[in-house]
Amino acid sequence: MTMTDIEQTVGELLLGQPPNLPVSQYDILRKKVGESRPAVLNENLTIIVAAVIFNEKEEVVMVQEAKAGCRRKWYLPAGRVNPNETLEEAVKREVLEESGLLFHPSTIIYIDTSLIWGYWIRITYTGYITGGYLKSLANADEESLQAKWCTLDEIKSRQSLTLRGEDIVPIINTAYQFFNKSPSCRHAMILPTHHPHKHMCMRIILIKQKQGSLEILVCTDDVPHLPIVKDSVMYQDSIWRLDKDAFKSSNIYQSCGVIALEHCGRPHGVADGVCLNYLVTTDSNRELVNKKYSWFPICNAELELVIKQRLCKAMNVPYVCYS
């Protein structure tokens, strides 16, 4: 049985590989026409990258901060993405500057975002070391004082380390759990696809489970495609807006997590946006009220099996929103 274009798109997304389809229009506008502005680093957008790196002893690289506000406290290697920089380039640079180690990112492991103190999104990677030397106090600079390998017990007990923030503990736990699963129980290795986006946006992959079969919500305006929310930040808000736009009454949803991410970063000012591809499921059967949407049946048996496996939260990248 051959796959349709929609099924092929979903299959590629589940492999962490969004199709290279330019976003000619957005299906749902979070802001009124005239109020929406492109996402521009250092103006209305901050992207942070971080890394959880384990060695063969399951120790984690930690760095001691040099900045005045958090001097001598410990944290993961992390920092802001610069204009005209890809996410991978940024995380490699931050790990080298702060720890002295050469880092090869293998997958995104955790994403979080906040609207509490201005807007930022943080993308955390895991991977492995390819070279370099662990920074010592003799090499302290404005980036960090030193780096060292720490056990999970040291980090969690806080007895020998004063952490800059407790926010890194669940991130480290998630990475540890990822590596201690069998490969068949992990999500796909997800690295950003270098597709340019002018705005922050979220593509919603909404799966309906109906008597053992699966259907996916498709927007039929122009070429049939998966719905995209413009200026999207929080997944809860994006799902709510899609629900209001598509259905006569509210559905009950289960969020599964991020399955793919798109970011280019070049040229600065017109390609700084991030597109998150977010998997959601429902077993509700609410009536569609907007004619531009329809349910598309998944007929390919192999794809149906993969989707059912990925509907488990543990099989996708967590996306944590603080508001």
Side-chain angles (χ1 to χ4, degrees):
M1 182 182 295
T2 60
M3 297 177 72
T4 64
D5 289 343
I6 288 293
E7 287 177 317
Q8 184 173 344
T9 295
V10 174
E12 290 172 350
L13 283 168
L14 291 169
L15 292 173
Q17 300 167 1
N20 190 10
L21 300 174
V23 179
S24 57
Q25 66 181 48
Y26 297 91
D27 305 299
I28 300 171
L29 306 181
R30 188 172 172 271
K31 297 180 180 180
K32 295 179 181 179
V33 176
E35 293 181 358
S36 176
R37 296 174 53 218
V40 180
L41 279 178
N42 301 334
E43 290 187 18
N44 59 355
L45 172 66
T46 299
I47 303 177
I48 300 166
V49 289
V52 181
I53 308 165
F54 291 98
N55 62 12
E56 65 281 356
K57 299 178 184 178
E58 296 187 337
E59 296 170 322
V60 182
V61 174
M62 297 286 285
V63 297
Q64 192 174 36
E65 298 283 7
K67 293 184 285 291
C70 51
R71 190 174 178 82
R72 301 190 187 284
K73 295 182 179 180
W74 293 85
Y75 207 65
L76 292 173
R80 296 188 179 197
V81 177
N82 292 329
N84 291 309
E85 194 173 38
T86 68
L87 301 181
E88 299 101 307
E89 289 168 349
V91 75
K92 289 179 180 180
R93 173 182 54 76
E94 288 292 345
V95 171
L96 179 60
E97 289 174 351
E98 297 190 350
S99 74
L101 299 172
L102 297 172
F103 173 60
H104 179 83
S106 57
T107 185
I108 295 170
I109 200 70
Y110 197 94
I111 304 172
D112 53 352
T113 187
S114 176
L115 287 175
I116 299 174
W117 302 108
Y119 172 57
W120 55 261
I121 183 169
R122 175 170 55 186
I123 295 116
T124 301
Y125 289 82
T126 190
Y128 53 90
I129 297 302
T130 60
Y133 299 92
L134 202 64
K135 181 184 281 189
S136 66
L137 281 171
N139 301 115
D141 55 24
E142 69 278 2
E143 298 294 339
S144 66
L145 299 178
Q146 61 178 321
K148 70 174 181 176
W149 294 101
C150 299
T151 66
L152 293 178
D153 286 342
E154 286 179 299
I155 296 169
K156 292 178 180 179
S157 68
R158 286 72 155 178
Q159 291 179 355
S160 58
L161 298 176
T162 301
L163 298 182
R164 171 183 160 185
E166 299 290 324
D167 56 310
I168 63 172
V169 176
I171 299 176
I172 295 170
N173 285 337
T174 299
Y176 179 78
Q177 292 164 11
F178 177 82
F179 280 114
N180 280 275
K181 293 176 184 175
S182 66
S184 63
C185 295
R186 300 173 184 170
H187 61 70
M189 294 296 189
I190 297 172
L191 292 171
T193 304
H194 296 158
H195 298 164
H197 287 276
K198 195 172 184 178
H199 295 263
M200 299 296 292
C201 58
M202 183 173 289
R203 182 180 287 111
I204 303 292
I205 301 92
L206 175 56
I207 303 292
K208 179 171 70 173
Q209 303 183 75
K210 183 182 178 183
Q211 298 176 342
S213 63
L214 300 178
E215 296 180 345
I216 186 166
L217 188 69
V218 173
C219 182
T220 54
D221 273 1
D222 195 16
V223 178
H225 60 277
L226 303 175
I228 300 181
V229 185
K230 183 182 181 182
D231 296 318
S232 178
V233 178
M234 303 290 189
Y235 68 84
Q236 303 97 324
D237 177 76
S238 298
I239 295 168
W240 177 80
R241 290 177 187 278
L242 176 61
D243 186 81
K244 291 292 184 183
D245 195 48
F247 299 100
K248 188 172 183 179
S249 56
S250 295
N251 288 287
I252 299 172
Y253 300 99
Q254 178 182 339
S255 297
C256 301
V258 173
I259 60 174
L261 183 148
E262 302 165 50
H263 174 265
C264 180
R266 290 192 279 265
H268 170 53
V270 295
D272 291 340
V274 175
C275 179
L276 297 175
N277 293 269
Y278 199 81
L279 181 63
V280 186
T281 183
T282 183
D283 55 11
S284 303
N285 193 24
R286 306 297 189 217
E287 179 184 349
L288 285 167
V289 72
N290 192 328
K291 292 182 180 180
K292 75 177 184 180
Y293 296 104
S294 63
W295 287 108
F296 181 91
I298 300 296
C299 299
N300 184 278
E302 291 182 9
L303 177 61
E304 183 177 354
L305 179 60
V306 173
I307 291 174
K308 287 180 177 178
Q309 292 172 338
R310 295 296 292 274
L311 292 181
C312 170
K313 262 191 173 182
M315 290 292 290
N316 305 290
V317 176
Y319 183 37
V320 178
C321 301
Y322 311 106
S323 59

